[in-house]
Amino acid sequence: YKSRPMWHKPSAGDVVSHLPGTIIKIMVEEGQAVEAGQLLLIHEAMKMQNRVIAPISGVVVELNVKEGDKITKINTDRVLAIGRNALYFEDYVLSIQYFNQVIKSKPWLAEPYFYRAVAKINLDDFKGAEEDCTLCLQRNPFLTQAYYARGIARQSQEKYDEAIDDYQKGLEFKPEDRQMLVNMAVAFIQKKDYNGAEKTFDDLMTAHPKYSM
C-alpha cells in the first residue's frame, strides 16, 4: 500500500472516466462553448447511465471518444513499466505509444511525460522532448532528471542559456551530479562563456577529483 503512487488531482478542465463502460450519447462537439454543470455525454457503466457534466465553463477543445466507444480501465503502473522496458531496449517509438496510453488515462502524472521526453531525445525530437519535460515539471517540480533532460533538449536546439538554467536548477537538488556539471560546462563553451566553463570545470574537479576528461 505504501508503495502505491500518490494520487494527483486532474486539471480543472479535464473530463475523465473512472469506470469502464460505453459512451452512448455525446451532447457537445469540439469548439462548442459550455457552461459549468452542462451535460456533456452519457456514459453507461454497470447497467447504469451516468450523466457526465462540465466541471467548469469553457470551450470543448478536444473529444477523445465517440458514441459507441468502450472505455476501458488500464493498469497504468503496468503499462508504464512496459514502456520503460521498451525504452531500455531502445524501441523508442513503441515506448512512446505506451507512455501515450498512460498520459491519456492519467494526464496528471509526471513520470510518463519524463520518459516520453527521454524517448524523444533519442529520436532527435528535441522540441517535443523540451515540451514534455516542461509538462513533467509542471506536475512535479522536484524531478531532478527532468531538468537534466530538458537541458539536453535545449542544448541540442542551441538554447544554451536556458539549458544552463536547467542544469543549475538540477544541481540545486544534486549539487555534485557529474553529468550535469559536464553538460553545463560544455554549454558555457558553446556560448563562448569560457569563464563560466572554467568555473564549472573547477566545481567538477572539486566534486570528482578522480574524474578525468
Side-chain angles (χ1 to χ4, degrees):
Y1 173 80
K2 291 181 178 179
S3 64
R4 290 176 59 187
M6 183 179 295
W7 181 83
H8 295 273
K9 184 178 180 180
S11 299
D14 289 341
V15 179
V16 298
S17 172
H18 300 288
L19 287 173
T22 304
I23 303 298
I24 61 173
K25 186 67 176 177
I26 295 177
M27 315 300 294
V28 295
E29 58 187 25
E30 290 185 1
Q32 179 178 337
V34 297
E35 299 294 327
Q38 182 175 335
L39 179 62
L40 301 177
L41 58 85
I42 299 174
H43 167 241
E44 186 176 74
M46 302 173 67
K47 298 183 179 180
M48 294 184 294
Q49 292 188 1
N50 304 284
R51 294 165 57 87
V52 179
I53 63 174
I56 59 173
S57 299
V59 175
V60 179
V61 175
E62 184 178 9
L63 282 171
N64 292 314
V65 293
K66 60 182 182 296
E67 291 179 9
D69 276 0
K70 302 288 185 182
I71 306 300
T72 59
K73 189 174 182 180
I74 68 169
N75 185 331
T76 50
D77 289 342
R78 178 170 173 77
V79 175
L80 185 63
I82 295 171
R84 292 180 63 182
N85 191 58
L87 185 63
Y88 176 81
F89 286 104
E90 301 181 2
D91 195 339
Y92 304 120
V93 174
L94 179 62
S95 72
I96 287 173
Q97 293 173 4
Y98 285 115
F99 300 140
N100 286 345
Q101 290 183 47
V102 180
I103 288 168
K104 184 175 181 179
S105 178
K106 295 184 178 179
W108 56 89
L109 294 179
E111 288 81 1
Y113 289 99
F114 166 70
Y115 292 120
R116 191 170 71 175
V118 173
K120 289 180 178 180
I121 287 173
N122 283 280
L123 292 170
D124 293 340
D125 179 7
F126 301 117
K127 184 175 185 296
E130 179 184 1
E131 291 169 354
D132 273 351
C133 286
T134 298
L135 290 168
C136 169
L137 290 166
Q138 287 172 354
R139 289 154 175 80
N140 182 359
F142 304 105
L143 195 57
T144 308
Q145 289 303 102
Y147 291 106
Y148 173 55
R150 191 170 65 177
I152 292 173
R154 286 174 165 174
Q155 194 170 355
S156 299
Q157 298 175 82
E158 300 182 0
K159 298 179 179 180
Y160 303 127
D161 287 327
E162 292 174 73
I164 290 167
D165 288 342
D166 276 329
Y167 296 138
Q168 288 175 334
K169 185 65 177 179
L171 288 165
E172 290 178 14
F173 298 102
K174 297 177 67 177
E176 297 185 355
D177 187 282
R178 188 175 71 180
Q179 199 56 56
M180 269 195 281
L181 286 166
V182 171
N183 283 21
M184 187 166 73
V186 172
F188 275 120
I189 292 172
Q190 288 172 314
K191 64 172 286 193
K192 296 181 170 53
D193 182 350
Y194 302 114
N195 289 331
E198 182 179 11
K199 181 183 182 304
T200 305
F201 279 127
D202 287 341
D203 292 340
L204 174 65
M205 298 306 293
T206 299
H208 303 278
K210 296 182 179 180
Y211 179 64
S212 173
M213 296 297 294

